[in-house]
Amino acid sequence: MISSDGIRGYNDAIILTLLAEGDSYGYEISKEIKSRTDEGYVIKETTLYSAFTRLGKQGFIEAYPGEVTHGKKRTYYRITAAGRDYLQEKREEWQLTKQVVDRFLAAAPQPTGDATNGNVVNTMSEEMKEDFLPPAEELG
């Protein structure tokens, strides 16, 4: 399962993405996140509702009352035009973020010939090699 620290900055974008697909309510959004990630990410209820509050204050979503379930009106959320603009910015930012992080994490590190992999000789300049190493013909 993915850590909440690794995804924290993208919870808002995930929620906005789902709302861009259609109006929804908290529990349904939570289930959809869990389903789409094959349970790799389960958003906490407090995280979800804090995001709703934050996104509402920023004008990115609007809340409205929906149907009554179990004696209580369900609150639905919809994305606003400002929310769609913000979502597009976050999508562009994500592409750049992936490119940067992939440069460090995507490929296995390649040997550099430095002291960290036990080959100090490869880090020496040719001049240093001449000063410190015997001529090749003496090595046999």
Side-chain angles (χ1 to χ4, degrees), residues 112-124 129:
T112 59
D114 64 14
T116 60
N117 71 5
N119 195 345
V120 176
V121 173
N122 287 341
T123 65
M124 293 181 167
K129 287 178 186 176

Side-chain angles (χ1 to χ4, degrees), residues 49-122:
Y49 286 94
S50 293
F52 287 151
T53 300
R54 183 175 50 256
L55 290 167
K57 285 180 180 178
Q58 294 171 318
F60 297 154
I61 64 171
E62 296 172 337
Y64 64 93
E67 65 215 36
V68 175
T69 58
H70 305 289
K72 184 179 174 188
K73 276 193 176 183
R74 184 176 279 161
T75 301
Y76 277 78
Y77 301 90
R78 73 171 63 97
I79 192 170
T80 64
R84 289 183 190 281
D85 292 343
Y86 177 73
L87 177 57
Q88 184 57 39
E89 290 172 21
K90 292 303 277 185
R91 284 181 170 147
E92 292 168 8
E93 177 186 286
W94 174 245
Q95 292 305 314
L96 179 58
T97 301
K98 279 192 331 186
Q99 289 174 9
V100 169
V101 173
D102 278 351
R103 289 179 187 234
F104 296 94
L105 301 180
Q110 300 298 313
T112 59
D114 64 14
T116 60
N117 71 5
N119 195 345
V120 176
V121 173
N122 287 341

Side-chain angles (χ1 to χ4, degrees), residues 16-23 32 36 79 84 91:
L16 289 173
T17 296
L18 294 174
L19 291 176
E21 296 170 5
D23 297 3
E32 187 63 20
R36 286 196 194 186
I79 192 170
R84 289 183 190 281
R91 284 181 170 147

Side-chain angles (χ1 to χ4, degrees), residues 33-52:
I33 291 169
K34 185 176 178 180
S35 172
R36 286 196 194 186
T37 63
D38 295 324
E39 298 187 22
Y41 180 56
V42 178
I43 193 167
K44 294 178 184 171
E45 189 174 330
T46 54
T47 302
L48 182 61
Y49 286 94
S50 293
F52 287 151

